[in-house]
Amino acid sequence: ILFSLVIAIAERISKKNVGIEGINLKDSLFIGFFQAIALIPGTSRSGATMSGAFFRNMDRTSAARFSFLLSIPAVLISGLYKLYDERAALLSSSDSITSIIIATVVSGIVGYISIWFLLSYLKMHTLNLFVVYRIFLGLLVLILLFTNVISN
């Protein structure tokens, strides 16, 4: 809930006049710091990096593109680590290998479509819908916790 407010503030105060080609090393490090903030549970990595980009006055499309580019090393390295860590179970049969290949292809296609959709959406819309969704979901989780429907 709290980081949703950071996203809303970042988008509101940003001049959104800098494209991806206009960022420098200082901007990149600043946005990278925001990606590190995403290690806090409940913080969206994309939301964090886009907030950092907004604080550096990047436009929405450039902020989203940079956020997705910044995710490539983290996602690739964590995926390779998990593949290595689970190699015995994953390579135990030809069915496992086939499943890995199918899952990789499907997730790649869905990921590409999702990125395309989000970039198209952000050309015309703000992140306010995402902010409202996060606040609503956060409040729902708090209510479920306080009423002992779920436990931590």
Side-chain angles (χ1 to χ4, degrees):
I1 293 171
L2 292 175
F3 203 80
S4 298
L5 300 176
V6 173
I7 295 169
I9 292 167
E11 179 149 24
R12 181 152 291 129
I13 68 171
S14 179
K15 294 178 183 131
K16 297 181 193 70
N17 60 1
V18 176
I20 200 166
E21 66 283 340
I23 63 169
N24 56 34
L25 180 61
K26 185 177 174 183
D27 297 327
S28 299
L29 291 172
F30 185 83
I31 297 166
F33 170 75
F34 269 77
Q35 178 165 275
I37 291 172
L39 293 171
I40 298 169
T43 306
S44 160
R45 191 207 60 80
S46 294
T49 54
M50 288 185 67
S51 294
F54 289 154
F55 282 128
R56 303 307 291 176
N57 294 313
M58 287 182 75
D59 62 80
R60 275 188 215 94
T61 304
S62 297
R65 285 184 189 279
F66 193 77
S67 175
F68 291 132
L69 289 171
L70 202 56
S71 73
I72 292 171
V75 171
L76 183 63
I77 291 169
S78 66
L80 290 173
Y81 173 76
K82 193 67 174 171
L83 184 64
Y84 176 78
D85 193 43
E86 301 290 332
R87 69 188 178 281
L90 294 171
L91 301 175
S92 63
S93 72
S94 62
D95 289 343
S96 296
I97 295 170
T98 304
S99 296
I100 292 170
I101 292 169
I102 291 170
T104 302
V105 169
V106 170
S107 65
I109 292 168
V110 171
Y112 184 83
I113 292 169
S114 299
I115 291 170
W116 171 83
F117 171 78
L118 186 61
L119 289 174
S120 299
Y121 178 84
L122 289 175
K123 286 179 184 174
M124 305 297 243
H125 302 90
T126 67
L127 286 176
N128 290 341
L129 182 63
F130 182 62
V131 169
V132 169
Y133 155 77
R134 286 179 47 87
I135 291 171
F136 173 77
L137 194 58
L139 290 173
L140 178 63
V141 168
L142 288 175
I143 290 167
L144 294 174
L145 279 170
F146 288 126
T147 57
N148 292 321
V149 173
I150 60 174
S151 61
N152 56 355

